[in-house]
Amino acid sequence: MSVEANKKVVTRYWIDFWNEKQGNIISEITAADLKLHFPPGQAHQPPSLQKWFETALSAFPDVHFTMHDLIGEGDKVVCRWSYVATHTGDFLGNPATHLKVTDQGINMFRIEDGKIAEMWMSGDSLGLLHQLGVL
Amino acid sequence: MTRIEQNRVAIRQFLEDVWSKGNVEIAEKIIDPNFQFILAFAHLDGRAAFMGLVERNRSIFENLTYSVESEDDIVADDTKGAAFWAMKSKHIGTWRNVPASYKDVAINGMTLFRFNEEGKIYEAKVQNDVMSLMSQIGGIKKLYDF
C-alpha cells in the first residue's frame, strides 16, 4: 500500500468513523486483531475499538475530532488531533456532567493490507480529568 | 542522506543527545533559534528558553534518559516527523510544585517535530503521559475515583 493510501485509511478512521459515527466500517478500516496501546495514565482503557465506540456514543455522543497533522512513512502514519465533546452520559461509572471538554493528542498507526493493525495513543488525560472536575 | 533520513537523525539526536546528555553543541546544530516547544501544560519560546528547561529538568530528574527503542518508532517526511519515545529517570527535585519523591519514574510519549528549509527543528509538540508521571511521584490526588 502507498503512503497516500495509508493516510486515507487513517483519515477515514477520524472523519468517517469518529466524526460521522459510521460504526459499520470498523471491519473495513481495521484488522480483526487490531492492537490498541494506551498510556498507563489514561483512565479509559477500552478492550476493543467496538467497545470504545459504544462507550463514546453513550458518554460523549457529539465527539468531534480535528486532524491537525498527518505524516506517513513506510507502513506508519502519525496524526496529531484534538476533539471537543460534551459529557452527556455515564462514563467510567460517573454520571453525566454536561461539561464541554476538549482533548488533544498524537496517535501512531501501523497499516497492514490497507487496514489499521496497530495503534499507539497519547492524549492529555491530566487536562481532561481537570476539565471533568476529578482533580 | 535524503532530507527524510536527516530528519530522522535529528529527531533521535533531539531526544538522545539534547535531552539525555544536555549536549548544547548538537542542540545548536539541529534546533532553530526561534524554536517553539509546546506541551499541553507549557510553551517555551525560543531555543535558549528550551535549553533552560532541559538544564532544569536534568537537575530535577537524575539520569534523565529519553530513548527511541526502534527505527520503527520514528515516522518522518520532508518537513515533519514524529517519534514514540520512552523516558526514564529518578525524581530528585521539585517539579511542578511536587517536592522530590526519590522515586524511579518511567513514561512514554510522542513528539511531533517541524523542520524548516535548512532542516532545523523549529517546533516540537509533545504529548506525554504526565498523568502517569504525576501518579509515580505522588503529585496528584483524585477527588473521586474516575
Side-chain angles (χ1 to χ4, degrees), chain B residues 86-124:
Chain B
M87 180 276 254
K88 271 187 187 174
S89 174
K90 185 182 213 174
H91 173 225
I92 60 163
T94 301
W95 181 71
R96 295 186 72 194
N97 298 324
V98 184
S101 62
Y102 301 99
K103 300 267 191 202
D104 288 324
V105 295
I107 57 164
N108 292 102
M110 279 189 261
T111 304
L112 195 141
F113 300 88
R114 290 182 207 283
F115 297 87
N116 64 18
E117 284 182 8
E118 288 173 63
K120 289 197 175 192
I121 299 168
Y122 73 87
E123 186 188 277

Side-chain angles (χ1 to χ4, degrees), chain B:
Chain B
M1 250 201 297
T2 65
R3 180 48 74 87
I4 292 175
E5 284 164 347
Q6 281 175 34
N7 291 349
R8 296 178 70 93
V9 169
I11 288 171
R12 200 175 262 282
Q13 288 179 322
F14 183 91
L15 294 163
E16 298 182 352
D17 292 309
V18 178
W19 268 115
S20 303
K21 295 176 188 155
N23 191 319
V24 176
E25 203 178 312
I26 289 182
E28 286 173 357
K29 199 179 123 201
I30 64 168
I31 302 172
D32 188 88
N34 294 316
F35 176 61
Q36 304 295 306
F37 188 69
I38 303 164
L39 298 104
F41 52 88
H43 184 159
L44 281 293
D45 180 4
R47 184 176 67 200
F50 167 70
M51 289 310 288
L53 176 78
V54 169
E55 202 183 324
R56 269 197 309 286
N57 280 9
R58 285 174 46 75
S59 68
I60 296 167
F61 292 98
E62 189 178 60
N63 296 324
L64 179 61
T65 307
Y66 282 86
S67 57
V68 179
E69 197 179 300
S70 142
E71 279 302 303
D72 279 350
D73 293 335
I74 300 177
V75 177
D77 63 23
D78 286 326
T79 60
K80 290 187 251 186
F84 180 82
W85 46 257
M87 180 276 254
K88 271 187 187 174
S89 174
K90 185 182 213 174
H91 173 225
I92 60 163
T94 301
W95 181 71
R96 295 186 72 194
N97 298 324
V98 184
S101 62
Y102 301 99
K103 300 267 191 202
D104 288 324
V105 295
I107 57 164
N108 292 102
M110 279 189 261
T111 304
L112 195 141
F113 300 88
R114 290 182 207 283
F115 297 87
N116 64 18
E117 284 182 8
E118 288 173 63
K120 289 197 175 192
I121 299 168
Y122 73 87
E123 186 188 277
K125 285 196 163 137
V126 183
Q127 202 67 62
N128 57 8
D129 191 6
V130 67
M131 188 70 199
S132 183
L133 181 57
M134 278 292 190
S135 303
Q136 291 171 47
I137 64 176
I140 212 151
K141 196 176 174 188
K142 289 187 185 173
L143 301 177
Y144 56 92
D145 196 28
F146 200 98

